[in-house]
């Protein structure tokens, strides 16, 4: 474990936390719970903090990113913070022309579609440590305030980054990316290798600055079949996670619509698999051979349902998760922006009481 002596896993602050133990395959008295997108639009304090600040500027302002990361921990008593960022932040830091348009999502200045386009990207070079200073500083501030609560580092998987670059922005079916994958596999591999190194460096900076675990999030991998994922995506995801392999932190891999890919997603080097709301956890555990800690998978749609309906669902998720070696309760995707924050707090209380 090549971590600094001040790291929370080295000095012991987070070593025995329920989250780190669960990610290590151990069960403890407290079932850990946190929520993807817990820091964000559902919180009035987030909207107040972000007022007048563009999304990417907020991510790259250390004090603001830290404050936003800490807000849900204070409010909900969740068992982990996840660093407030965006999938495209490492692209921005590498010099890619990208902005996040409200109501649309990440939009590129120009799409990356050809061998020459990819060559220009690669000319931007790897992400240097000095380029990551704002990220490292934000993580360090957050970890100092969290005490024994672990911080999870966050990064987008290479396929999702490549899909954004090729499509030029959000897409429903990622046709252009999938076309490039097959029509010019050499250029595709160069693109995803570049994306892997950029996002891997981004993840490594967070871990070295104090994150106690790391999550690689593949938003768009659900558009792929297993053979395409294995041949054209898995090598780059393995390369991305390889950037932190020597650091000894537990690695979580999550994607949406990826029920058929779970084994392949684990085999790129993940210790924990996040499961979306489409597949019951006991079936996910069966598909993974009963050896992999699971994270998930409350249906975000039920957050707006009557409490008795949601409570029964949470209890069912916990019961099905009990088949796995360990379980971290989470959503099967992110917190919708219109969610009542008091509902999330109530879920945490319920989970901790089970």
């Amino acid at each position: 474990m090549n971590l600094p002596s001040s790291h929370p896993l080295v000095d012991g602050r987070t070593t025995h936390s329920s989250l780190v133990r669960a990610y290590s395959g151990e069960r403890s008295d407290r079932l850990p719970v946190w929520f993807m997108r817990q820091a964000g639009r559902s919180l009035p304090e987030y909207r107040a903090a972000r007022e007048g600040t563009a999304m990417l500027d907020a991510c790259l302002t250390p004090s603001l990113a830290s404050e936003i990361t800490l807000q849900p921990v204070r409010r909900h008593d969740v068992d982990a913070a996840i660093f407030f960022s965006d999938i495209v932040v490492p692209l921005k830091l590498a010099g890619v022309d990208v902005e996040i348009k409200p109501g649309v999502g990440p939009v590129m200045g120009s799409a990356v579609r050809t061998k020459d386009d990819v060559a220009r990207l690669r000319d931007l070079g790897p992400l240097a440590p000095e380029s990551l200073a704002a990220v490292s500083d934000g993580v360090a501030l957050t970890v100092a305030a969290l005490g024994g609560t672990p911080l999870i580092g966050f990064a987008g998987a290479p396929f999702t980054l490549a899909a954004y670059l090729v499509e030029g922005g959000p897409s429903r079916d990622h046709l252009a990316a999938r076309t490039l994958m097959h029509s010019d596999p050499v250029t595709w591999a160069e693109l995803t290798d570049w994306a892997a190194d950029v996002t891997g460096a981004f993840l490594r900076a967070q871990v070295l600055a104090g994150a106690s675990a790391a999550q690689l999030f593949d938003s768009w991998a659900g558009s792929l079949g297993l053979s395409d994922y294995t041949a054209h995506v898995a090598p780059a995801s393995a390369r991305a996670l390889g950037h932190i392999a020597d650091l000894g932190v537990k690695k979580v891999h999550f994607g949406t619509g990826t029920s058929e890919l779970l084994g392949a997603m684990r085999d790129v080097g993940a210790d924990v698999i996040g499961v979306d709301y489409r597949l019951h956890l006991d079936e996910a555990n069966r598909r993974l051979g009963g050896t992999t800690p699971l994270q998930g998978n409350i249906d975000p749609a039920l957050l707006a349902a009557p409490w008795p309906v949601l409570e029964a669902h949470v209890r069912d998720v916990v019961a099905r998760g009990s088949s796995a070696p360990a379980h971290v309760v989470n959503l099967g995707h992110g917190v919708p922006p219109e969610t009542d924050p008091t509902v999330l707090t109530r879920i945490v209380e319920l989970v901790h009481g089970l």
Side-chain angles (χ1 to χ4, degrees):
M1 189 179 280
N2 299 315
L3 296 171
S5 59
S6 59
H7 193 282
L9 288 175
V10 176
D11 65 24
R13 274 174 288 165
T14 60
T15 312
H16 303 293
S17 64
S18 60
L19 181 99
V20 169
R21 289 178 64 186
Y23 281 173
S24 303
E26 302 172 24
R27 288 188 175 265
S28 54
D29 293 339
R30 176 163 158 138
L31 186 60
V33 53
W34 67 276
F35 305 104
M36 279 177 279
R37 292 194 192 139
Q38 63 188 13
R41 296 169 293 179
S42 65
L43 297 182
E45 55 266 41
Y46 165 82
R47 295 192 292 272
R50 263 274 326 267
E51 191 171 2
T53 305
M55 176 65 177
L56 291 177
D57 291 339
C59 293
L60 294 171
T61 304
S63 59
L64 182 55
S66 176
E67 166 59 23
I68 292 169
T69 302
L70 294 166
Q71 286 173 348
V73 180
R74 295 189 201 112
R75 179 186 272 264
H76 302 310
D77 190 32
V78 283
D79 296 288
I82 186 158
F83 189 60
F84 177 74
S85 190
D86 188 89
I87 280 172
V88 299
V89 166
L91 298 183
K92 176 84 170 176
L93 293 175
V96 174
D97 180 11
V98 56
E99 63 173 313
I100 297 179
K101 293 190 175 178
V104 178
V107 176
M108 308 295 149
S110 59
V112 175
R113 298 278 173 93
T114 68
K115 187 173 185 65
D116 287 344
D117 292 339
V118 174
R120 280 191 290 272
L121 262 188
R122 295 175 75 199
D123 285 344
L124 295 175
L127 259 182
E130 55 268 24
S131 303
L132 291 156
V135 175
S136 300
D137 291 349
V139 168
L141 282 172
T142 307
V143 169
L146 280 171
T149 301
L151 177 71
I152 302 167
F154 166 88
F159 174 74
T160 289
L161 291 180
Y164 273 123
L165 288 164
V166 175
E167 303 288 346
S171 164
R172 182 169 294 177
D173 48 23
H174 316 292
L175 278 176
R178 288 158 51 209
T179 298
L180 179 63
M181 176 191 297
H182 290 284
S183 62
D184 190 348
V186 173
T187 295
W188 173 259
E190 290 174 348
L191 172 60
T192 52
D193 280 353
W194 180 85
D197 289 341
V198 167
T199 207
F202 181 63
L203 210 49
R204 185 177 181 87
Q206 294 172 68
V207 173
L208 287 174
S212 293
Q215 175 160 298
L216 194 67
F217 183 21
D218 214 341
S219 309
W220 307 130
S223 66
L224 301 168
L226 178 59
S227 59
D228 278 353
Y229 179 86
T230 304
H232 299 289
V233 174
S237 293
R239 181 174 176 134
L241 289 177
H243 279 260
I244 57 170
D246 64 309
L247 300 180
V249 297
K250 296 303 178 184
K251 302 175 289 294
V252 187
H253 202 3
F254 173 75
T256 54
T258 52
S259 299
E260 304 305 315
L261 310 179
L262 297 181
M265 290 176 68
R266 175 192 58 195
D267 292 346
V268 302
D271 304 292
V272 182
I273 288 294
V275 183
D276 80 357
Y277 57 87
R278 295 171 177 86
L279 186 71
H280 288 313
L281 291 180
D282 49 353
E283 173 59 16
N285 182 59
R286 186 192 69 77
R287 294 185 185 189
L288 289 164
T291 60
T292 305
L294 299 181
Q295 180 172 278
N297 68 343
I298 298 165
D299 188 341
L302 270 66
L303 296 177
W307 175 253
V309 175
L310 176 57
E311 180 184 8
H313 175 56
V314 172
R315 289 179 179 274
D316 182 63
V317 166
V318 170
R320 292 178 185 275
S322 66
S323 65
H327 178 207
V328 174
V329 179
N330 207 304
L331 300 180
H333 200 193
V335 177
E338 61 278 4
T339 302
D340 178 356
T342 61
V343 172
L344 298 179
T345 305
R346 199 170 179 185
I347 291 172
V348 175
E349 290 170 349
L350 171 63
V351 170
H352 286 163
L354 291 176

